[in-house]
Amino acid sequence: MPELPEVEVVRRGLERLAGQTVSTVEVLTARSVRRHLAGPTDFAARLAGRRLGGARRRGKYLWLPLDDDRIDDGDVLLGHLGMSGQFLVVGSQAPLESHLRVRLGLEPIRTGLELDLRFVDQRTFGGLAITTVTPSAHDGTVVPAPIAHLGVDPLEPTFDSERFSDRLRHRRTGVKRALLDQTLVSGVGNIYADEALWQARLHYARPTETLRRAEVGRLLAAVRSVLQDALGQGGTSFDALYVDVDGQAGYFERALAVYGREDQPCPRCGTPIRRHPFMNRSSYVCPRCQPRPRRARW
DNA sequence: ATCGTAGCCTGGAGGC
DNA sequence: TGCCTCCAGGCTACGA
C-alpha cells in the first residue's frame, strides 16, 4: 500500500532515467490512463520522442518532466500508484508482467542495453497522465495541474507547520480523518496515520477542534518520524504489491507498532492492540495509550 | 463550504 | 476441491 515513503523510494529509483528518451509507448489497459482525458492514443503520441527529466514527488504523486530539443511546454508524465501500482525498470526482453498496463520503451544509451519503464498495476486504482504544470494553491511551487489542490507533504521544506496547525484545528472532524485528507497534508495513508497517532498517543476519533497546539506539534513530529523511519527501511510491504523499481520489497513492516497487529502487545505498555472499523477499513489503537475521547468524532 | 460515504478494482484468505 | 464472501484502501464524485 504505497504511501509517501514507498512513493519516495520509487521516485529515487526513477531518477536514473533522467536524460533518457522515450521511443515507444504501449497502453495495454485504457483504464490506467483514464486521467488522461484525451485518451490512450493521445497519451502515447504525446509521450513518444520526449526526453525524461528527474523524477519529482508530492505526497503520493510522482511526475517526470518531459521535453525534447524543440519542445519545452512544461508537460509532465504524472503517475499515481493507487493501491497496487508499480513502476519497474527492466530490460526490454524481460517477460511481460501479468498486470502490465503501460509499457514505455527507452532509447538505448549504448548498443545492447534496451530498457523499459513499465507500469504494472493489479487493481488499477493507479494511473498515468500527461499534464501541464501550474503553481500550487498552497505554496506556489510549480506542480502538475491535477494536484495543485494537494496539500504540501510533511517532508517538503515549504511545509508550514503553523498553517497546518491552524487549518487542522479549524476542522470539525476526527483527527485521523483529517490526517487522511490529502488537501490538508499529503502523503499520509491508513498505515502511517495509525502509526503516527499511536506515537503521539492520540485516539483517531479525537475531535480536531479540541486539539491543543502542543498536541498538534506532537502529532506532526510523529508523522515526520514515522515517514522518515519507513523511508530509511525502504518502505513497508505486506505482500508483493509494493516494490521499488527493481522489484525489491521494503522492510518497515517489522517496525510497525500497531498497524496490522491486532491482539499483539503494545510496544509501549503491553496492552493488546485493538482493531476498530473505521471509514470502511480499519484503525489499530492501543486502548491504554490512546484512550477514546469522551466526545468522539469519526 | 464542509463533511461523510459509495464506488472503483482484483486476488488472497478463510468459511462452509 | 470449489464456491462464496470479505477484506485490503487511495482517491473522486456526489449528496447532505
Side-chain angles (χ1 to χ4, degrees):
Chain A
M1 295 115 230
E3 302 183 27
L4 188 154
E6 292 75 31
V7 179
E8 175 61 14
V9 170
V10 173
R11 187 200 67 77
R12 291 176 183 181
L14 291 176
E15 278 192 314
R16 76 179 74 160
L17 300 181
Q20 298 211 42
T21 299
V22 177
S23 52
T24 59
V25 180
E26 282 179 79
V27 178
L28 293 92
T29 301
R31 177 175 154 79
S32 295
V33 296
R34 65 192 179 283
R35 305 267 173 235
H36 188 84
L37 300 179
T41 307
D42 182 78
F43 175 86
R46 294 183 63 176
L47 200 44
R50 306 300 290 273
R51 191 172 57 216
L52 304 175
R56 306 285 308 275
R57 181 191 57 76
R58 170 162 280 186
K60 303 170 195 171
Y61 284 87
L62 283 169
W63 65 96
L64 300 167
L66 301 174
D67 64 10
D68 65 27
D69 294 336
R70 293 142 297 168
I71 313 170
D72 185 3
D73 51 12
D75 277 358
V76 301
L77 172 61
L78 176 64
H80 194 288
L81 300 176
M83 291 287 300
S84 55
Q86 306 173 348
F87 279 106
L88 301 177
V89 178
V90 298
S92 59
Q93 300 304 311
L96 301 186
E97 296 76 8
S98 54
H99 298 103
L100 177 62
R101 308 300 182 185
V102 180
R103 182 184 188 190
L104 308 185
L106 305 176
E107 272 180 18
I109 297 178
R110 57 175 199 276
T111 313
L113 185 66
E114 286 192 43
L115 289 180
D116 279 358
L117 171 57
R118 297 184 183 175
F119 183 68
V120 175
D121 189 8
Q122 177 198 111
R123 295 175 207 170
T124 67
F125 279 29
L128 307 179
I130 313 288
T131 81
T132 57
V133 294
T134 195
S136 160
H138 296 279
D139 67 344
T141 303
V142 173
V143 297
I147 65 165
H149 68 290
L150 203 70
V152 180
D153 79 49
L155 300 189
E156 290 184 278
T158 56
F159 187 88
D160 184 335
S161 303
E162 287 301 309
R163 181 166 180 264
F164 171 76
S165 183
D166 290 341
R167 291 178 72 207
L168 180 67
R169 299 191 311 136
H170 280 96
R171 295 286 174 103
R172 299 185 68 81
T173 187
V175 64
K176 181 173 174 183
R177 205 179 263 282
L179 270 186
L180 296 178
D181 179 348
Q182 302 295 301
T183 66
L184 181 62
V185 51
S186 62
V188 181
N190 202 40
I191 297 173
Y192 298 120
D194 278 2
E195 292 297 306
L197 288 167
W198 174 82
Q199 193 172 309
R201 303 182 195 230
L202 293 170
H203 189 276
Y204 57 87
R206 175 72 178 276
T208 46
E209 70 271 25
T210 69
L211 286 168
R212 299 159 190 275
R213 284 194 168 274
E215 291 175 310
V216 178
R218 221 164 70 205
L219 176 60
L220 189 52
V223 167
R224 286 193 166 119
S225 116
V226 163
L227 296 177
Q228 291 280 13
D229 288 352
L231 190 50
Q233 300 281 314
T236 300
S237 297
F238 287 90
D239 46 37
L241 287 184
Y242 159 69
V243 295
D244 67 14
V245 298
D246 299 311
Q248 299 300 305
Y251 293 99
F252 191 67
E253 183 181 358
R254 304 172 187 179
L256 294 175
V258 288
Y259 188 85
R261 300 188 68 246
E262 185 176 18
D263 297 332
Q264 296 179 58
C266 166
R268 198 161 40 208
C269 75
T271 306
I273 300 300
R274 293 278 166 71
R275 180 173 68 88
H276 296 162
F278 176 83
M279 290 171 75
N280 282 327
R281 31 194 73 100
S282 295
S283 276
Y284 294 89
V285 288
C286 169
R288 183 162 169 190
C289 298
Q290 301 165 270
R292 186 177 177 280
R294 199 165 292 130
R295 281 176 42 227
R297 271 187 190 280
W298 320 97

Short mmCIF file of all heavy atoms in Angstrom, two decimals, chain A residues 53-114:
data_model
loop_
_atom_site.label_atom_id
_atom_site.label_comp_id
_atom_site.label_asym_id
_atom_site.label_seq_id
_atom_site.Cartn_x
_atom_site.Cartn_y
_atom_site.Cartn_z
N GLY A 53 12.89 13.97 -17.61
CA GLY A 53 13.68 14.72 -16.63
C GLY A 53 13.72 13.98 -15.30
O GLY A 53 13.20 12.88 -15.17
N GLY A 54 14.35 14.60 -14.31
CA GLY A 54 14.47 13.97 -13.00
C GLY A 54 13.11 13.84 -12.31
O GLY A 54 12.31 14.76 -12.33
N ALA A 55 12.87 12.71 -11.68
CA ALA A 55 11.58 12.42 -11.07
C ALA A 55 11.32 13.33 -9.87
O ALA A 55 12.22 13.62 -9.08
CB ALA A 55 11.52 10.96 -10.65
N ARG A 56 10.08 13.80 -9.75
CA ARG A 56 9.65 14.65 -8.64
C ARG A 56 8.51 13.97 -7.91
O ARG A 56 7.88 13.06 -8.46
CB ARG A 56 9.17 16.01 -9.18
CG ARG A 56 10.16 16.72 -10.07
CD ARG A 56 11.29 17.32 -9.29
NE ARG A 56 10.81 18.15 -8.19
CZ ARG A 56 10.47 19.43 -8.31
NH1 ARG A 56 10.56 20.02 -9.48
NH2 ARG A 56 10.05 20.12 -7.27
N ARG A 57 8.21 14.47 -6.71
CA ARG A 57 7.13 13.86 -5.92
C ARG A 57 6.47 14.89 -5.03
O ARG A 57 7.14 15.80 -4.52
CB ARG A 57 7.68 12.72 -5.06
CG ARG A 57 6.63 11.99 -4.22
CD ARG A 57 7.26 11.07 -3.20
NE ARG A 57 8.16 11.79 -2.31
CZ ARG A 57 7.76 12.59 -1.32
NH1 ARG A 57 6.48 12.75 -1.06
NH2 ARG A 57 8.65 13.24 -0.59
N ARG A 58 5.18 14.79 -4.85
CA ARG A 58 4.48 15.49 -3.77
C ARG A 58 3.45 14.51 -3.22
O ARG A 58 2.63 13.99 -3.99
CB ARG A 58 3.81 16.77 -4.26
CG ARG A 58 2.86 17.38 -3.21
CD ARG A 58 2.52 18.83 -3.46
NE ARG A 58 3.61 19.70 -3.00
CZ ARG A 58 3.55 21.04 -2.99
NH1 ARG A 58 2.45 21.65 -3.40
NH2 ARG A 58 4.57 21.74 -2.56
N GLY A 59 3.49 14.28 -1.90
CA GLY A 59 2.58 13.30 -1.32
C GLY A 59 2.78 11.95 -2.00
O GLY A 59 3.89 11.45 -2.10
N LYS A 60 1.70 11.40 -2.50
CA LYS A 60 1.77 10.07 -3.12
C LYS A 60 1.85 10.15 -4.64
O LYS A 60 1.78 9.12 -5.31
CB LYS A 60 0.55 9.25 -2.71
CG LYS A 60 0.39 9.09 -1.20
CD LYS A 60 -0.94 8.49 -0.83
CE LYS A 60 -1.23 8.68 0.65
NZ LYS A 60 -2.61 8.30 1.00
N TYR A 61 1.99 11.37 -5.18
CA TYR A 61 2.09 11.52 -6.62
C TYR A 61 3.54 11.67 -7.05
O TYR A 61 4.35 12.30 -6.36
CB TYR A 61 1.32 12.77 -7.09
CG TYR A 61 -0.18 12.60 -7.12
CD1 TYR A 61 -0.93 12.85 -5.97
CD2 TYR A 61 -0.84 12.21 -8.28
CE1 TYR A 61 -2.32 12.72 -5.99
CE2 TYR A 61 -2.21 12.08 -8.30
CZ TYR A 61 -2.95 12.33 -7.15
OH TYR A 61 -4.31 12.20 -7.17
N LEU A 62 3.84 11.14 -8.23
CA LEU A 62 5.16 11.21 -8.85
C LEU A 62 5.02 11.86 -10.21
O LEU A 62 4.01 11.67 -10.86
CB LEU A 62 5.64 9.80 -9.19
CG LEU A 62 6.17 8.84 -8.19
CD1 LEU A 62 6.26 7.49 -8.89
CD2 LEU A 62 7.54 9.29 -7.76
N TRP A 63 6.03 12.59 -10.66
CA TRP A 63 6.00 13.02 -12.06
C TRP A 63 7.40 13.16 -12.64
O TRP A 63 8.38 13.35 -11.92
CB TRP A 63 5.20 14.31 -12.24
CG TRP A 63 5.74 15.54 -11.60
CD1 TRP A 63 6.51 16.50 -12.19
CD2 TRP A 63 5.49 16.00 -10.25
NE1 TRP A 63 6.76 17.51 -11.30
CE2 TRP A 63 6.16 17.23 -10.11
CE3 TRP A 63 4.78 15.48 -9.15
CZ2 TRP A 63 6.14 17.95 -8.91
CZ3 TRP A 63 4.76 16.20 -7.97
CH2 TRP A 63 5.43 17.41 -7.87
N LEU A 64 7.44 12.99 -13.95
CA LEU A 64 8.69 13.12 -14.71
C LEU A 64 8.50 14.25 -15.71
O LEU A 64 7.61 14.18 -16.55
CB LEU A 64 8.97 11.81 -15.48
CG LEU A 64 9.13 10.54 -14.65
CD1 LEU A 64 9.08 9.31 -15.53
CD2 LEU A 64 10.44 10.58 -13.89
N PRO A 65 9.32 15.31 -15.63
CA PRO A 65 9.24 16.38 -16.62
C PRO A 65 9.55 15.81 -18.01
O PRO A 65 10.34 14.87 -18.15
CB PRO A 65 10.33 17.36 -16.18
CG PRO A 65 10.54 17.07 -14.73
CD PRO A 65 10.28 15.59 -14.57
N LEU A 66 8.91 16.39 -19.02
CA LEU A 66 9.11 15.94 -20.40
C LEU A 66 9.60 17.10 -21.25
O LEU A 66 9.06 18.20 -21.15
CB LEU A 66 7.79 15.44 -21.00
CG LEU A 66 7.08 14.30 -20.29
CD1 LEU A 66 5.72 14.05 -20.95
CD2 LEU A 66 7.93 13.04 -20.34
N ASP A 67 10.59 16.86 -22.07
CA ASP A 67 10.94 17.86 -23.07
C ASP A 67 11.67 17.14 -24.20
O ASP A 67 11.85 15.94 -24.18
CB ASP A 67 11.80 19.00 -22.49
CG ASP A 67 13.14 18.51 -21.99
OD1 ASP A 67 13.50 17.35 -22.25
OD2 ASP A 67 13.82 19.29 -21.32
N ASP A 68 12.03 17.87 -25.22
CA ASP A 68 12.97 17.36 -26.20
C ASP A 68 13.70 18.58 -26.75
O ASP A 68 13.60 19.67 -26.18
CB ASP A 68 12.30 16.50 -27.28
CG ASP A 68 11.34 17.26 -28.15
OD1 ASP A 68 11.52 18.49 -28.33
OD2 ASP A 68 10.40 16.64 -28.67
N ASP A 69 14.43 18.44 -27.81
CA ASP A 69 15.28 19.54 -28.26
C ASP A 69 14.47 20.73 -28.77
O ASP A 69 14.96 21.85 -28.78
CB ASP A 69 16.24 19.06 -29.36
CG ASP A 69 17.21 18.04 -28.78
OD1 ASP A 69 17.43 18.08 -27.56
OD2 ASP A 69 17.72 17.22 -29.55
N ARG A 70 13.24 20.47 -29.19
CA ARG A 70 12.45 21.55 -29.76
C ARG A 70 11.35 22.05 -28.83
O ARG A 70 10.96 23.19 -28.85
CB ARG A 70 11.80 21.09 -31.08
CG ARG A 70 12.81 20.82 -32.18
CD ARG A 70 12.40 19.62 -33.00
NE ARG A 70 12.39 18.41 -32.17
CZ ARG A 70 11.86 17.26 -32.55
NH1 ARG A 70 11.27 17.15 -33.71
NH2 ARG A 70 11.90 16.23 -31.76
N ILE A 71 10.83 21.14 -28.02
CA ILE A 71 9.65 21.47 -27.22
C ILE A 71 10.02 21.54 -25.75
O ILE A 71 10.70 20.65 -25.24
CB ILE A 71 8.55 20.40 -27.38
CG1 ILE A 71 8.36 20.06 -28.85
CG2 ILE A 71 7.27 20.85 -26.74
CD1 ILE A 71 7.48 18.85 -29.07
N ASP A 72 9.60 22.57 -25.05
CA ASP A 72 9.60 22.53 -23.60
C ASP A 72 8.36 23.27 -23.15
O ASP A 72 8.39 24.43 -22.81
CB ASP A 72 10.86 23.17 -23.02
CG ASP A 72 10.89 23.01 -21.50
OD1 ASP A 72 9.98 22.37 -20.95
OD2 ASP A 72 11.83 23.53 -20.87
N ASP A 73 7.24 22.56 -23.18
CA ASP A 73 5.94 23.19 -22.90
C ASP A 73 5.51 22.96 -21.47
O ASP A 73 4.39 23.25 -21.09
CB ASP A 73 4.88 22.64 -23.87
CG ASP A 73 4.87 21.12 -23.90
OD1 ASP A 73 5.51 20.51 -23.02
OD2 ASP A 73 4.23 20.56 -24.79
N GLY A 74 6.43 22.44 -20.65
CA GLY A 74 6.08 22.22 -19.25
C GLY A 74 5.25 20.98 -19.02
O GLY A 74 4.77 20.77 -17.92
N ASP A 75 5.10 20.15 -20.05
CA ASP A 75 4.37 18.90 -19.84
C ASP A 75 5.14 17.98 -18.90
O ASP A 75 6.37 17.97 -18.87
CB ASP A 75 4.20 18.16 -21.17
CG ASP A 75 3.01 18.67 -21.96
OD1 ASP A 75 2.31 19.56 -21.47
OD2 ASP A 75 2.80 18.17 -23.09
N VAL A 76 4.37 17.19 -18.16
CA VAL A 76 4.98 16.17 -17.31
C VAL A 76 4.21 14.86 -17.47
O VAL A 76 3.03 14.86 -17.84
CB VAL A 76 4.98 16.56 -15.81
CG1 VAL A 76 5.74 17.87 -15.59
CG2 VAL A 76 3.56 16.65 -15.25
N LEU A 77 4.89 13.76 -17.17
CA LEU A 77 4.22 12.46 -17.06
C LEU A 77 3.91 12.28 -15.57
O LEU A 77 4.82 12.14 -14.76
CB LEU A 77 5.13 11.34 -17.56
CG LEU A 77 4.63 9.91 -17.32
CD1 LEU A 77 3.31 9.65 -18.03
CD2 LEU A 77 5.70 8.90 -17.75
N LEU A 78 2.62 12.33 -15.24
CA LEU A 78 2.18 12.26 -13.84
C LEU A 78 1.70 10.85 -13.54
O LEU A 78 0.97 10.25 -14.34
CB LEU A 78 1.05 13.26 -13.61
CG LEU A 78 0.40 13.29 -12.23
CD1 LEU A 78 1.39 13.70 -11.15
CD2 LEU A 78 -0.81 14.23 -12.23
N GLY A 79 2.11 10.32 -12.40
CA GLY A 79 1.69 8.97 -12.04
C GLY A 79 1.25 8.86 -10.60
O GLY A 79 1.71 9.61 -9.73
N HIS A 80 0.31 7.96 -10.37
CA HIS A 80 -0.12 7.61 -9.01
C HIS A 80 -0.18 6.09 -8.93
O HIS A 80 -0.69 5.44 -9.83
CB HIS A 80 -1.48 8.22 -8.70
CG HIS A 80 -1.81 8.19 -7.23
ND1 HIS A 80 -2.12 7.03 -6.56
CD2 HIS A 80 -1.83 9.17 -6.30
CE1 HIS A 80 -2.34 7.31 -5.28
NE2 HIS A 80 -2.17 8.60 -5.09
N LEU A 81 0.35 5.54 -7.83
CA LEU A 81 0.42 4.08 -7.71
C LEU A 81 -0.89 3.46 -7.23
O LEU A 81 -1.06 2.24 -7.31
CB LEU A 81 1.55 3.69 -6.75
CG LEU A 81 2.95 4.17 -7.17
CD1 LEU A 81 3.96 3.81 -6.09
CD2 LEU A 81 3.35 3.56 -8.50
N GLY A 82 -1.80 4.31 -6.72
CA GLY A 82 -3.05 3.75 -6.19
C GLY A 82 -2.74 2.74 -5.11
O GLY A 82 -1.93 2.98 -4.22
N MET A 83 -3.41 1.59 -5.15
CA MET A 83 -3.22 0.55 -4.15
C MET A 83 -2.11 -0.41 -4.52
O MET A 83 -1.47 -1.00 -3.67
CB MET A 83 -4.51 -0.26 -4.02
CG MET A 83 -5.63 0.50 -3.42
SD MET A 83 -5.32 0.70 -1.70
CE MET A 83 -5.25 -1.01 -1.22
N SER A 84 -1.94 -0.63 -5.78
CA SER A 84 -1.12 -1.77 -6.20
C SER A 84 -0.20 -1.44 -7.38
O SER A 84 0.34 -2.35 -8.00
CB SER A 84 -2.03 -2.94 -6.59
OG SER A 84 -2.98 -2.53 -7.58
N GLY A 85 -0.02 -0.15 -7.65
CA GLY A 85 0.79 0.22 -8.82
C GLY A 85 2.29 0.03 -8.57
O GLY A 85 2.78 0.17 -7.45
N GLN A 86 3.00 -0.30 -9.64
CA GLN A 86 4.46 -0.42 -9.58
C GLN A 86 5.06 0.22 -10.82
O GLN A 86 4.53 0.06 -11.91
CB GLN A 86 4.87 -1.90 -9.58
CG GLN A 86 4.22 -2.73 -8.50
CD GLN A 86 4.54 -4.21 -8.65
OE1 GLN A 86 5.05 -4.66 -9.66
NE2 GLN A 86 4.21 -4.97 -7.60
N PHE A 87 6.15 0.93 -10.64
CA PHE A 87 6.99 1.34 -11.77
C PHE A 87 8.20 0.42 -11.75
O PHE A 87 8.90 0.36 -10.74
CB PHE A 87 7.46 2.78 -11.62
CG PHE A 87 6.45 3.80 -12.04
CD1 PHE A 87 5.78 4.56 -11.10
CD2 PHE A 87 6.19 4.03 -13.38
CE1 PHE A 87 4.85 5.52 -11.49
CE2 PHE A 87 5.27 4.99 -13.78
CZ PHE A 87 4.60 5.74 -12.83
N LEU A 88 8.43 -0.27 -12.84
CA LEU A 88 9.57 -1.18 -12.91
C LEU A 88 10.48 -0.76 -14.05
O LEU A 88 10.01 -0.44 -15.15
CB LEU A 88 9.10 -2.62 -13.15
CG LEU A 88 8.16 -3.21 -12.09
CD1 LEU A 88 7.70 -4.61 -12.49
CD2 LEU A 88 8.82 -3.24 -10.72
N VAL A 89 11.77 -0.74 -13.79
CA VAL A 89 12.77 -0.50 -14.83
C VAL A 89 13.42 -1.85 -15.13
O VAL A 89 14.12 -2.40 -14.28
CB VAL A 89 13.82 0.53 -14.37
CG1 VAL A 89 14.87 0.72 -15.46
CG2 VAL A 89 13.15 1.86 -14.04
N VAL A 90 13.13 -2.38 -16.29
CA VAL A 90 13.60 -3.74 -16.62
C VAL A 90 14.12 -3.77 -18.06
O VAL A 90 13.78 -2.90 -18.87
CB VAL A 90 12.45 -4.79 -16.48
CG1 VAL A 90 11.95 -4.86 -15.05
CG2 VAL A 90 11.30 -4.47 -17.43
N GLY A 91 14.91 -4.77 -18.36
CA GLY A 91 15.35 -4.97 -19.73
C GLY A 91 14.15 -5.21 -20.63
O GLY A 91 13.17 -5.84 -20.21
N SER A 92 14.22 -4.71 -21.84
CA SER A 92 13.05 -4.79 -22.72
C SER A 92 12.71 -6.23 -23.11
O SER A 92 11.61 -6.50 -23.58
CB SER A 92 13.27 -3.95 -23.98
OG SER A 92 14.42 -4.41 -24.66
N GLN A 93 13.64 -7.15 -22.87
CA GLN A 93 13.37 -8.55 -23.20
C GLN A 93 12.74 -9.31 -22.04
O GLN A 93 12.36 -10.48 -22.21
CB GLN A 93 14.69 -9.26 -23.60
CG GLN A 93 15.37 -8.65 -24.81
CD GLN A 93 14.45 -8.60 -26.03
OE1 GLN A 93 13.82 -9.59 -26.39
NE2 GLN A 93 14.36 -7.43 -26.65
N ALA A 94 12.64 -8.67 -20.88
CA ALA A 94 12.08 -9.36 -19.71
C ALA A 94 10.64 -9.77 -20.00
O ALA A 94 9.91 -9.06 -20.69
CB ALA A 94 12.13 -8.44 -18.49
N PRO A 95 10.22 -10.93 -19.47
CA PRO A 95 8.84 -11.39 -19.71
C PRO A 95 7.83 -10.36 -19.23
O PRO A 95 8.06 -9.67 -18.24
CB PRO A 95 8.74 -12.68 -18.89
CG PRO A 95 10.01 -12.83 -18.15
CD PRO A 95 11.00 -11.85 -18.67
N LEU A 96 6.71 -10.26 -19.95
CA LEU A 96 5.70 -9.26 -19.61
C LEU A 96 4.98 -9.67 -18.33
O LEU A 96 4.56 -10.82 -18.19
CB LEU A 96 4.71 -9.09 -20.76
CG LEU A 96 5.32 -8.66 -22.10
CD1 LEU A 96 4.22 -8.39 -23.13
CD2 LEU A 96 6.22 -7.43 -21.92
N GLU A 97 4.83 -8.73 -17.41
CA GLU A 97 4.16 -8.99 -16.15
C GLU A 97 2.66 -9.22 -16.42
O GLU A 97 2.09 -8.65 -17.34
CB GLU A 97 4.33 -7.80 -15.20
CG GLU A 97 5.76 -7.54 -14.78
CD GLU A 97 6.62 -6.87 -15.85
OE1 GLU A 97 6.06 -6.45 -16.89
OE2 GLU A 97 7.84 -6.76 -15.65
N SER A 98 2.02 -10.01 -15.56
CA SER A 98 0.61 -10.34 -15.84
C SER A 98 -0.30 -9.11 -15.72
O SER A 98 -1.34 -9.06 -16.36
CB SER A 98 0.13 -11.46 -14.93
OG SER A 98 0.37 -11.13 -13.58
N HIS A 99 0.08 -8.12 -14.91
CA HIS A 99 -0.75 -6.93 -14.80
C HIS A 99 -0.07 -5.71 -15.38
O HIS A 99 -0.30 -4.58 -14.91
CB HIS A 99 -1.16 -6.71 -13.35
CG HIS A 99 -1.98 -7.83 -12.79
ND1 HIS A 99 -1.47 -8.78 -11.95
CD2 HIS A 99 -3.27 -8.19 -12.99
CE1 HIS A 99 -2.40 -9.67 -11.65
NE2 HIS A 99 -3.50 -9.33 -12.26
N LEU A 100 0.73 -5.94 -16.42
CA LEU A 100 1.36 -4.82 -17.12
C LEU A 100 0.28 -3.96 -17.77
O LEU A 100 -0.58 -4.46 -18.49
CB LEU A 100 2.32 -5.37 -18.19
CG LEU A 100 3.01 -4.32 -19.07
CD1 LEU A 100 3.88 -3.40 -18.23
CD2 LEU A 100 3.84 -5.00 -20.15
N ARG A 101 0.31 -2.65 -17.51
CA ARG A 101 -0.72 -1.73 -18.03
C ARG A 101 -0.19 -0.78 -19.08
O ARG A 101 -0.88 -0.49 -20.06
CB ARG A 101 -1.32 -0.92 -16.88
CG ARG A 101 -1.81 -1.73 -15.70
CD ARG A 101 -2.90 -2.70 -16.11
NE ARG A 101 -3.42 -3.45 -14.98
CZ ARG A 101 -4.30 -4.43 -15.09
NH1 ARG A 101 -4.76 -4.79 -16.29
NH2 ARG A 101 -4.72 -5.07 -14.03
N VAL A 102 1.01 -0.24 -18.84
CA VAL A 102 1.61 0.71 -19.78
C VAL A 102 3.10 0.38 -19.89
O VAL A 102 3.77 0.16 -18.87
CB VAL A 102 1.43 2.17 -19.31
CG1 VAL A 102 2.07 3.14 -20.31
CG2 VAL A 102 -0.06 2.50 -19.14
N ARG A 103 3.58 0.34 -21.11
CA ARG A 103 4.97 -0.03 -21.34
C ARG A 103 5.65 1.06 -22.16
O ARG A 103 5.20 1.39 -23.26
CB ARG A 103 5.02 -1.35 -22.10
CG ARG A 103 6.41 -1.87 -22.37
CD ARG A 103 6.34 -3.13 -23.22
NE ARG A 103 7.63 -3.76 -23.35
CZ ARG A 103 7.88 -4.76 -24.19
NH1 ARG A 103 6.91 -5.24 -24.97
NH2 ARG A 103 9.09 -5.27 -24.26
N LEU A 104 6.70 1.66 -21.60
CA LEU A 104 7.48 2.66 -22.31
C LEU A 104 8.82 2.06 -22.68
O LEU A 104 9.58 1.63 -21.80
CB LEU A 104 7.71 3.90 -21.44
CG LEU A 104 6.50 4.56 -20.78
CD1 LEU A 104 6.93 5.84 -20.07
CD2 LEU A 104 5.42 4.86 -21.79
N GLY A 105 9.11 2.02 -23.97
CA GLY A 105 10.43 1.59 -24.40
C GLY A 105 11.35 2.80 -24.44
O GLY A 105 10.97 3.87 -24.90
N LEU A 106 12.57 2.66 -23.90
CA LEU A 106 13.51 3.78 -23.86
C LEU A 106 14.59 3.57 -24.91
O LEU A 106 15.01 2.43 -25.17
CB LEU A 106 14.13 3.88 -22.46
CG LEU A 106 13.10 3.99 -21.33
CD1 LEU A 106 13.80 3.98 -19.98
CD2 LEU A 106 12.26 5.26 -21.49
N GLU A 107 15.03 4.69 -25.48
CA GLU A 107 16.10 4.59 -26.48
C GLU A 107 17.36 4.06 -25.83
O GLU A 107 17.75 4.54 -24.77
CB GLU A 107 16.39 5.97 -27.09
CG GLU A 107 15.52 6.28 -28.27
CD GLU A 107 15.82 7.65 -28.86
OE1 GLU A 107 16.90 8.20 -28.56
OE2 GLU A 107 14.95 8.15 -29.59
N PRO A 108 17.99 3.08 -26.45
CA PRO A 108 19.20 2.52 -25.84
C PRO A 108 20.29 3.57 -25.75
O PRO A 108 20.52 4.33 -26.69
CB PRO A 108 19.60 1.39 -26.79
CG PRO A 108 18.77 1.53 -28.00
CD PRO A 108 17.63 2.42 -27.70
N ILE A 109 20.93 3.64 -24.58
CA ILE A 109 22.03 4.58 -24.39
C ILE A 109 23.26 4.06 -25.12
O ILE A 109 24.02 4.79 -25.71
CB ILE A 109 22.34 4.75 -22.89
CG1 ILE A 109 21.13 5.34 -22.20
CG2 ILE A 109 23.56 5.62 -22.68
CD1 ILE A 109 21.30 5.51 -20.72
N ARG A 110 23.46 2.77 -25.06
CA ARG A 110 24.50 2.14 -25.88
C ARG A 110 23.95 0.81 -26.38
O ARG A 110 22.99 0.28 -25.83
CB ARG A 110 25.80 1.96 -25.09
CG ARG A 110 25.64 1.14 -23.81
CD ARG A 110 27.00 0.92 -23.17
NE ARG A 110 26.95 -0.18 -22.23
CZ ARG A 110 26.54 -0.06 -20.97
NH1 ARG A 110 26.15 1.12 -20.51
NH2 ARG A 110 26.52 -1.12 -20.16
N THR A 111 24.57 0.30 -27.40
CA THR A 111 24.06 -0.91 -28.05
C THR A 111 23.93 -2.05 -27.05
O THR A 111 24.79 -2.26 -26.21
CB THR A 111 25.03 -1.33 -29.18
OG1 THR A 111 25.34 -0.17 -29.95
CG2 THR A 111 24.39 -2.39 -30.06
N GLY A 112 22.83 -2.75 -27.16
CA GLY A 112 22.66 -3.94 -26.33
C GLY A 112 22.07 -3.68 -24.97
O GLY A 112 21.91 -4.59 -24.18
N LEU A 113 21.75 -2.42 -24.67
CA LEU A 113 21.14 -2.13 -23.36
C LEU A 113 19.80 -1.44 -23.59
O LEU A 113 19.72 -0.22 -23.57
CB LEU A 113 22.06 -1.25 -22.52
CG LEU A 113 21.56 -0.99 -21.09
CD1 LEU A 113 21.54 -2.28 -20.28
CD2 LEU A 113 22.42 0.05 -20.41
N GLU A 114 18.79 -2.23 -23.84
CA GLU A 114 17.45 -1.67 -24.06
C GLU A 114 16.63 -1.83 -22.81
O GLU A 114 16.44 -2.93 -22.32
CB GLU A 114 16.77 -2.38 -25.23
CG GLU A 114 17.36 -1.97 -26.57
CD GLU A 114 16.50 -2.44 -27.73
OE1 GLU A 114 15.26 -2.31 -27.62
OE2 GLU A 114 17.06 -2.95 -28.70
#
